[in-house]
Structure formats: structure tokens, C-alpha cells
PDB file of all heavy atoms in Angstrom:
ATOM      1  N   LEU R   1      -4.084   3.992   1.622  1.00  0.00           N
ATOM      2  CA  LEU R   1      -4.202   3.167   0.344  1.00  0.00           C
ATOM      3  C   LEU R   1      -5.526   2.611   0.127  1.00  0.00           C
ATOM      4  O   LEU R   1      -6.154   2.024   1.074  1.00  0.00           O
ATOM      5  CB  LEU R   1      -3.160   1.972   0.364  1.00  0.00           C
ATOM      6  CG  LEU R   1      -1.710   2.369   0.593  1.00  0.00           C
ATOM      7  CD1 LEU R   1      -0.903   1.032   0.803  1.00  0.00           C
ATOM      8  CD2 LEU R   1      -1.159   3.014  -0.725  1.00  0.00           C
ATOM      9  N   SER R   2      -5.974   2.634  -1.174  1.00  0.00           N
ATOM     10  CA  SER R   2      -7.194   1.924  -1.541  1.00  0.00           C
ATOM     11  C   SER R   2      -6.798   0.452  -1.611  1.00  0.00           C
ATOM     12  O   SER R   2      -5.598   0.081  -1.803  1.00  0.00           O
ATOM     13  CB  SER R   2      -7.756   2.386  -2.904  1.00  0.00           C
ATOM     14  OG  SER R   2      -6.874   2.077  -3.926  1.00  0.00           O
ATOM     15  N   GLU R   3      -7.828  -0.413  -1.489  1.00  0.00           N
ATOM     16  CA  GLU R   3      -7.485  -1.814  -1.488  1.00  0.00           C
ATOM     17  C   GLU R   3      -6.798  -2.244  -2.815  1.00  0.00           C
ATOM     18  O   GLU R   3      -5.884  -2.965  -2.807  1.00  0.00           O
ATOM     19  CB  GLU R   3      -8.758  -2.609  -1.255  1.00  0.00           C
ATOM     20  CG  GLU R   3      -8.580  -4.098  -1.073  1.00  0.00           C
ATOM     21  CD  GLU R   3      -9.846  -4.766  -0.705  1.00  0.00           C
ATOM     22  OE1 GLU R   3     -10.969  -4.253  -1.058  1.00  0.00           O
ATOM     23  OE2 GLU R   3      -9.814  -5.780  -0.021  1.00  0.00           O
ATOM     24  N   LYS R   4      -7.304  -1.648  -3.921  1.00  0.00           N
ATOM     25  CA  LYS R   4      -6.705  -2.054  -5.197  1.00  0.00           C
ATOM     26  C   LYS R   4      -5.248  -1.691  -5.315  1.00  0.00           C
ATOM     27  O   LYS R   4      -4.446  -2.531  -5.780  1.00  0.00           O
ATOM     28  CB  LYS R   4      -7.501  -1.300  -6.267  1.00  0.00           C
ATOM     29  CG  LYS R   4      -7.031  -1.574  -7.676  1.00  0.00           C
ATOM     30  CD  LYS R   4      -7.762  -0.769  -8.762  1.00  0.00           C
ATOM     31  CE  LYS R   4      -7.110  -1.144 -10.115  1.00  0.00           C
ATOM     32  NZ  LYS R   4      -6.620   0.060 -10.762  1.00  0.00           N
ATOM     33  N   LEU R   5      -4.860  -0.459  -4.873  1.00  0.00           N
ATOM     34  CA  LEU R   5      -3.478  -0.114  -4.911  1.00  0.00           C
ATOM     35  C   LEU R   5      -2.627  -0.887  -3.920  1.00  0.00           C
ATOM     36  O   LEU R   5      -1.442  -1.154  -4.155  1.00  0.00           O
ATOM     37  CB  LEU R   5      -3.311   1.398  -4.692  1.00  0.00           C
ATOM     38  CG  LEU R   5      -3.816   2.270  -5.950  1.00  0.00           C
ATOM     39  CD1 LEU R   5      -3.826   3.756  -5.598  1.00  0.00           C
ATOM     40  CD2 LEU R   5      -2.913   1.967  -7.150  1.00  0.00           C
ATOM     41  N   ALA R   6      -3.243  -1.179  -2.762  1.00  0.00           N
ATOM     42  CA  ALA R   6      -2.499  -2.062  -1.740  1.00  0.00           C
ATOM     43  C   ALA R   6      -2.170  -3.421  -2.344  1.00  0.00           C
ATOM     44  O   ALA R   6      -1.112  -3.970  -1.955  1.00  0.00           O
ATOM     45  CB  ALA R   6      -3.277  -2.158  -0.486  1.00  0.00           C
ATOM     46  N   GLU R   7      -3.047  -3.991  -3.153  1.00  0.00           N
ATOM     47  CA  GLU R   7      -2.810  -5.299  -3.769  1.00  0.00           C
ATOM     48  C   GLU R   7      -1.756  -5.296  -4.798  1.00  0.00           C
ATOM     49  O   GLU R   7      -1.046  -6.225  -5.121  1.00  0.00           O
ATOM     50  CB  GLU R   7      -4.114  -5.827  -4.320  1.00  0.00           C
ATOM     51  CG  GLU R   7      -5.142  -6.171  -3.300  1.00  0.00           C
ATOM     52  CD  GLU R   7      -6.494  -6.641  -3.842  1.00  0.00           C
ATOM     53  OE1 GLU R   7      -6.630  -6.521  -5.070  1.00  0.00           O
ATOM     54  OE2 GLU R   7      -7.315  -7.060  -3.106  1.00  0.00           O
ATOM     55  N   GLU R   8      -1.588  -4.077  -5.512  1.00  0.00           N
ATOM     56  CA  GLU R   8      -0.563  -3.951  -6.424  1.00  0.00           C
ATOM     57  C   GLU R   8       0.780  -3.779  -5.790  1.00  0.00           C
ATOM     58  O   GLU R   8       0.912  -3.134  -4.812  1.00  0.00           O
ATOM     59  CB  GLU R   8      -0.857  -2.735  -7.378  1.00  0.00           C
ATOM     60  CG  GLU R   8      -2.065  -2.782  -8.221  1.00  0.00           C
ATOM     61  CD  GLU R   8      -2.470  -1.513  -8.908  1.00  0.00           C
ATOM     62  OE1 GLU R   8      -1.551  -0.596  -8.941  1.00  0.00           O
ATOM     63  OE2 GLU R   8      -3.506  -1.502  -9.514  1.00  0.00           O
ATOM     64  N   ALA R   9       1.814  -4.273  -6.378  1.00  0.00           N
ATOM     65  CA  ALA R   9       3.159  -4.148  -5.899  1.00  0.00           C
ATOM     66  C   ALA R   9       3.664  -2.680  -6.211  1.00  0.00           C
ATOM     67  O   ALA R   9       3.595  -2.278  -7.362  1.00  0.00           O
ATOM     68  CB  ALA R   9       4.085  -5.200  -6.412  1.00  0.00           C
ATOM     69  N   ASP R  10       4.237  -2.032  -5.258  1.00  0.00           N
ATOM     70  CA  ASP R  10       4.944  -0.793  -5.509  1.00  0.00           C
ATOM     71  C   ASP R  10       6.301  -1.050  -6.126  1.00  0.00           C
ATOM     72  O   ASP R  10       7.089  -1.774  -5.466  1.00  0.00           O
ATOM     73  CB  ASP R  10       5.161  -0.010  -4.121  1.00  0.00           C
ATOM     74  CG  ASP R  10       5.921   1.283  -4.300  1.00  0.00           C
ATOM     75  OD1 ASP R  10       6.205   1.585  -5.457  1.00  0.00           O
ATOM     76  OD2 ASP R  10       6.223   1.874  -3.248  1.00  0.00           O
ATOM     77  N   PRO R  11       6.494  -0.680  -7.309  1.00  0.00           N
ATOM     78  CA  PRO R  11       7.778  -1.001  -8.010  1.00  0.00           C
ATOM     79  C   PRO R  11       8.986  -0.577  -7.263  1.00  0.00           C
ATOM     80  O   PRO R  11      10.098  -1.058  -7.382  1.00  0.00           O
ATOM     81  CB  PRO R  11       7.642  -0.398  -9.407  1.00  0.00           C
ATOM     82  CG  PRO R  11       6.384   0.295  -9.417  1.00  0.00           C
ATOM     83  CD  PRO R  11       5.644   0.139  -8.143  1.00  0.00           C
ATOM     84  N   THR R  12       8.876   0.489  -6.447  1.00  0.00           N
ATOM     85  CA  THR R  12      10.049   1.027  -5.714  1.00  0.00           C
ATOM     86  C   THR R  12      10.297   0.161  -4.452  1.00  0.00           C
ATOM     87  O   THR R  12      11.257   0.307  -3.798  1.00  0.00           O
ATOM     88  CB  THR R  12       9.935   2.481  -5.345  1.00  0.00           C
ATOM     89  OG1 THR R  12       8.770   2.584  -4.421  1.00  0.00           O
ATOM     90  CG2 THR R  12       9.648   3.337  -6.562  1.00  0.00           C
ATOM     91  N   GLY R  13       9.229  -0.551  -3.977  1.00  0.00           N
ATOM     92  CA  GLY R  13       9.354  -1.263  -2.745  1.00  0.00           C
ATOM     93  C   GLY R  13       9.043  -0.521  -1.511  1.00  0.00           C
ATOM     94  O   GLY R  13       9.136  -0.934  -0.417  1.00  0.00           O
ATOM     95  N   ASN R  14       8.889   0.794  -1.676  1.00  0.00           N
ATOM     96  CA  ASN R  14       8.674   1.696  -0.467  1.00  0.00           C
ATOM     97  C   ASN R  14       7.544   1.322   0.402  1.00  0.00           C
ATOM     98  O   ASN R  14       7.441   1.589   1.558  1.00  0.00           O
ATOM     99  CB  ASN R  14       8.584   3.090  -0.976  1.00  0.00           C
ATOM    100  CG  ASN R  14       9.969   3.629  -1.363  1.00  0.00           C
ATOM    101  OD1 ASN R  14      10.963   3.120  -1.000  1.00  0.00           O
ATOM    102  ND2 ASN R  14       9.908   4.734  -2.141  1.00  0.00           N
ATOM    103  N   SER R  15       6.429   0.813  -0.236  1.00  0.00           N
ATOM    104  CA  SER R  15       5.231   0.562   0.552  1.00  0.00           C
ATOM    105  C   SER R  15       5.491  -0.530   1.599  1.00  0.00           C
ATOM    106  O   SER R  15       4.906  -0.633   2.699  1.00  0.00           O
ATOM    107  CB  SER R  15       4.085   0.110  -0.278  1.00  0.00           C
ATOM    108  OG  SER R  15       4.386  -1.049  -0.978  1.00  0.00           O
ATOM    109  N   GLN R  16       6.415  -1.361   1.362  1.00  0.00           N
ATOM    110  CA  GLN R  16       6.806  -2.434   2.280  1.00  0.00           C
ATOM    111  C   GLN R  16       7.523  -1.902   3.515  1.00  0.00           C
ATOM    112  O   GLN R  16       7.479  -2.574   4.585  1.00  0.00           O
ATOM    113  CB  GLN R  16       7.683  -3.534   1.561  1.00  0.00           C
ATOM    114  CG  GLN R  16       7.141  -4.024   0.292  1.00  0.00           C
ATOM    115  CD  GLN R  16       5.781  -4.523   0.362  1.00  0.00           C
ATOM    116  OE1 GLN R  16       5.419  -5.181   1.318  1.00  0.00           O
ATOM    117  NE2 GLN R  16       4.955  -4.173  -0.681  1.00  0.00           N
ATOM    118  N   ASP R  17       8.127  -0.742   3.429  1.00  0.00           N
ATOM    119  CA  ASP R  17       8.834  -0.166   4.475  1.00  0.00           C
ATOM    120  C   ASP R  17       7.990   0.712   5.402  1.00  0.00           C
ATOM    121  O   ASP R  17       8.412   1.093   6.421  1.00  0.00           O
ATOM    122  CB  ASP R  17       9.981   0.718   3.952  1.00  0.00           C
ATOM    123  CG  ASP R  17      11.018  -0.080   3.191  1.00  0.00           C
ATOM    124  OD1 ASP R  17      11.134  -1.327   3.405  1.00  0.00           O
ATOM    125  OD2 ASP R  17      11.621   0.412   2.260  1.00  0.00           O
ATOM    126  N   ALA R  18       6.765   0.964   4.958  1.00  0.00           N
ATOM    127  CA  ALA R  18       5.856   1.792   5.719  1.00  0.00           C
ATOM    128  C   ALA R  18       5.465   1.110   6.991  1.00  0.00           C
ATOM    129  O   ALA R  18       5.049   0.026   7.022  1.00  0.00           O
ATOM    130  CB  ALA R  18       4.596   2.212   4.893  1.00  0.00           C
ATOM    131  N   SER R  19       5.648   1.836   8.103  1.00  0.00           N
ATOM    132  CA  SER R  19       5.224   1.317   9.407  1.00  0.00           C
ATOM    133  C   SER R  19       3.752   1.644   9.716  1.00  0.00           C
ATOM    134  O   SER R  19       3.144   1.082  10.513  1.00  0.00           O
ATOM    135  CB  SER R  19       6.123   1.819  10.507  1.00  0.00           C
ATOM    136  OG  SER R  19       6.067   3.259  10.514  1.00  0.00           O
ATOM    137  N   ARG R  20       3.200   2.591   9.043  1.00  0.00           N
ATOM    138  CA  ARG R  20       1.816   3.084   9.398  1.00  0.00           C
ATOM    139  C   ARG R  20       1.051   3.196   8.094  1.00  0.00           C
ATOM    140  O   ARG R  20       1.379   3.867   7.153  1.00  0.00           O
ATOM    141  CB  ARG R  20       1.829   4.451  10.018  1.00  0.00           C
ATOM    142  CG  ARG R  20       2.506   4.343  11.411  1.00  0.00           C
ATOM    143  CD  ARG R  20       2.638   5.750  12.007  1.00  0.00           C
ATOM    144  NE  ARG R  20       3.694   6.505  11.284  1.00  0.00           N
ATOM    145  CZ  ARG R  20       4.179   7.613  11.810  1.00  0.00           C
ATOM    146  NH1 ARG R  20       3.640   8.214  12.876  1.00  0.00           N
ATOM    147  NH2 ARG R  20       5.181   8.293  11.152  1.00  0.00           N
ATOM    148  N   VAL R  21      -0.021   2.310   8.047  1.00  0.00           N
ATOM    149  CA  VAL R  21      -0.836   2.166   6.828  1.00  0.00           C
ATOM    150  C   VAL R  21      -2.331   2.236   7.276  1.00  0.00           C
ATOM    151  O   VAL R  21      -2.731   1.617   8.179  1.00  0.00           O
ATOM    152  CB  VAL R  21      -0.527   0.844   6.104  1.00  0.00           C
ATOM    153  CG1 VAL R  21      -1.550   0.695   4.909  1.00  0.00           C
ATOM    154  CG2 VAL R  21       0.899   0.797   5.685  1.00  0.00           C
ATOM    155  N   ILE R  22      -3.074   3.030   6.483  1.00  0.00           N
ATOM    156  CA  ILE R  22      -4.505   3.033   6.579  1.00  0.00           C
ATOM    157  C   ILE R  22      -5.089   2.400   5.291  1.00  0.00           C
ATOM    158  O   ILE R  22      -4.815   2.955   4.247  1.00  0.00           O
ATOM    159  CB  ILE R  22      -5.118   4.435   6.888  1.00  0.00           C
ATOM    160  CG1 ILE R  22      -4.605   4.995   8.130  1.00  0.00           C
ATOM    161  CG2 ILE R  22      -6.608   4.416   6.792  1.00  0.00           C
ATOM    162  CD1 ILE R  22      -4.908   6.463   8.507  1.00  0.00           C
ATOM    163  N   LEU R  23      -5.731   1.302   5.434  1.00  0.00           N
ATOM    164  CA  LEU R  23      -6.295   0.615   4.260  1.00  0.00           C
ATOM    165  C   LEU R  23      -7.723   0.870   4.028  1.00  0.00           C
ATOM    166  O   LEU R  23      -8.504   0.681   5.057  1.00  0.00           O
ATOM    167  CB  LEU R  23      -6.031  -0.916   4.372  1.00  0.00           C
ATOM    168  CG  LEU R  23      -6.549  -1.805   3.243  1.00  0.00           C
ATOM    169  CD1 LEU R  23      -5.858  -1.507   1.931  1.00  0.00           C
ATOM    170  CD2 LEU R  23      -6.357  -3.247   3.654  1.00  0.00           C
ATOM    171  N   LEU R  24      -8.094   1.371   2.901  1.00  0.00           N
ATOM    172  CA  LEU R  24      -9.547   1.625   2.581  1.00  0.00           C
ATOM    173  C   LEU R  24     -10.045   0.433   1.840  1.00  0.00           C
ATOM    174  O   LEU R  24      -9.620   0.179   0.708  1.00  0.00           O
ATOM    175  CB  LEU R  24      -9.674   2.899   1.740  1.00  0.00           C
ATOM    176  CG  LEU R  24      -9.035   4.142   2.381  1.00  0.00           C
ATOM    177  CD1 LEU R  24      -9.195   5.307   1.409  1.00  0.00           C
ATOM    178  CD2 LEU R  24      -9.430   4.484   3.778  1.00  0.00           C
ATOM    179  N   THR R  25     -11.078  -0.228   2.336  1.00  0.00           N
ATOM    180  CA  THR R  25     -11.640  -1.427   1.716  1.00  0.00           C
ATOM    181  C   THR R  25     -13.150  -1.373   1.575  1.00  0.00           C
ATOM    182  O   THR R  25     -13.798  -0.718   2.315  1.00  0.00           O
ATOM    183  CB  THR R  25     -11.218  -2.697   2.451  1.00  0.00           C
ATOM    184  OG1 THR R  25     -11.720  -3.864   1.758  1.00  0.00           O
ATOM    185  CG2 THR R  25     -11.747  -2.769   3.896  1.00  0.00           C
TER     186      THR R  25
END
């Protein structure tokens, strides 16, 4: 995820369930 998209809420809520995230900042 880019930082901008990580800050936005995923309307489906799926991003909250992810156990592995690479954040680009």
C-alpha cells in the first residue's frame, strides 16, 4: 500500500484483516 491509500479506509474492511502489509512511505 502507498501511504495515501493506507490512510484511507477500505470500505469493505478487508485491509484490516490483512496480516501482511508492506507500506510505501
